[in-house]
Amino acid sequence: MSDAVPVADVFDALAAAAPEIRAGFAGRAGETDDRNATGDRQLHADIHADDILRARLGGLDAVGQYASEEAEDVSDVGSGPLSISVDPLDGSSNLSANNPTGTIVGVYDAPLPAAGRDLVAAAYVLYGPLTTMVAATDDGATRYAITSDGRRDDEPAVLPDDPTVYGFGGRVPDWTAAFTDYARRVEDELKLRYSGAMVADVNQVLTYGGVFAYPGLRDRPTGKLRTQFEAIPMAYIVEAAGGASTDGTRSLLDVEPDTLHERTPIYLGNDALIDRAERIVS
Ligand code: FDP
């Protein structure tokens, strides 16, 4: 299934949507009066990106279900075998400061909510100085440049063996004692790079090697990031690129979400740094 035509159709549709999403950033950094299912204030850019992706990905013949971080429930959009999870604009609060944002897409051959082991593909788009996409199947991960003509200049996305950078979310006073211990050891070895958009921070880890984490916090043990929309697809991409993932005790691909909008602690990066996280924070 991984390299079957419908998955390529999803990647092509995402590549076609990306320039349109990016063109819509101007004038849409402001908040709407609405909140999403997890209580975040929605920006006009979040809604705009979701509208584009719902039409383009939800409209594919191969797609039966579409679920967005911006909507409460799963939508039945057709009779195709694939289910799609979308974080339309990850890190959208970065827009006001003109910092990067991204889009995260998971493609499953099971109804949503679905586990990481049900993924047949996943991809993210990074709206940085350039628009790029990393798309993964069971055969590995590939990096593309995105232009108005679609995805091109493909090259393998492979996590470097020697880690260089780290980025940890959450306020330091909110970290647990165990995570603080882990962070102090990582800080001694690697260089801090944190943008506030998960896609950009994970992309740096994929480029330079290292670890991204948004841990469970003292007053919020499941952390901030969403299992279905953020953690599982990004874990699939990092593992396809040769890295590892954990929620603190097991690969994020082994997590089976009970509900669409639940959250999980997340660690992504080089094997040794993920193993160490499991030893220290579990
Ligand atoms: P945002 O709230 O701007 O959408 O998805 C949540 C997210 O961004 C991630 O992209 C990012 O990694 C994280 O939140 C940043 O959270 P902090 O502001 O707590 O660092």
Side-chain angles (χ1 to χ4, degrees):
M1 167 58 110
S2 66
D3 57 358
V5 172
V7 170
D9 287 351
V10 175
F11 293 159
D12 286 339
L14 178 59
E20 198 182 342
I21 291 170
R22 185 176 186 121
F25 291 162
R28 289 194 174 87
E31 293 180 346
T32 66
D33 292 333
D34 299 322
R35 293 182 185 274
N36 66 17
T38 33
D40 301 329
R41 184 71 75 181
Q42 291 175 307
L43 307 187
H44 292 283
D46 291 316
I47 305 298
H48 185 248
D50 188 33
D51 288 346
I52 293 169
L53 291 162
R54 184 175 290 273
R56 286 190 180 265
L57 301 184
L60 294 171
D61 287 345
V63 176
Q65 286 193 329
Y66 178 93
S68 165
E69 191 178 292
E70 302 306 330
E72 186 86 36
D73 299 315
V74 178
S75 301
D76 292 320
V77 292
S79 54
L82 300 179
S83 303
I84 304 267
S85 72
V86 176
D87 181 357
L89 207 52
D90 176 71
S92 57
S93 58
N94 267 1
L95 278 184
S96 354
N98 193 22
N99 277 338
T101 61
T103 293
I104 304 170
V105 172
V107 185
Y108 310 78
D109 61 0
L112 296 166
R117 299 293 172 200
D118 295 321
L119 276 164
V120 294
Y124 67 76
V125 172
L126 172 60
Y127 309 100
L130 303 173
T131 306
T132 54
M133 176 166 98
V134 176
T137 66
D138 290 349
D139 298 328
T142 306
R143 190 183 301 275
Y144 300 92
I146 301 292
T147 69
S148 51
D149 296 328
R151 51 181 169 131
R152 60 179 182 79
D153 298 342
D154 57 301
E155 58 180 44
V158 179
L159 188 70
D161 287 337
D162 291 331
T164 306
V165 299
Y166 74 95
F168 296 153
R171 296 173 64 247
V172 175
D174 296 333
W175 289 352
T176 63
F179 183 77
T180 303
D181 180 20
Y182 175 69
R184 294 291 168 256
R185 296 184 200 203
V186 172
E187 284 165 3
D188 282 343
E189 298 164 19
L190 306 181
K191 188 165 59 174
L192 172 62
R193 284 288 185 274
Y194 189 74
S195 76
M198 181 204 189
V199 166
D201 292 320
V202 172
N203 190 70
Q204 292 203 82
V205 167
L206 264 189
T207 306
Y208 301 118
V211 57
F212 168 84
Y214 205 113
L217 304 176
R218 286 176 193 276
D219 61 349
R220 193 198 266 180
T222 53
K224 179 179 183 189
L225 301 184
R226 285 73 167 182
T227 309
Q228 190 79 77
F229 299 104
E230 295 169 305
I232 286 178
M234 293 302 272
Y236 181 87
I237 294 167
V238 170
E239 293 201 16
S245 75
T246 187
D247 66 352
T249 59
R250 61 196 159 155
S251 163
L252 283 157
L253 300 184
D254 290 326
V255 175
E256 297 184 2
D258 293 321
T259 59
L260 202 55
H261 292 281
E262 67 191 48
R263 304 173 196 262
T264 180
I266 170 170
Y267 300 76
L268 305 174
N270 287 83
D271 277 355
L273 291 158
I274 301 306
D275 283 351
R276 193 195 295 174
E278 288 188 344
R279 283 199 305 276
I280 296 177
V281 304
S282 62

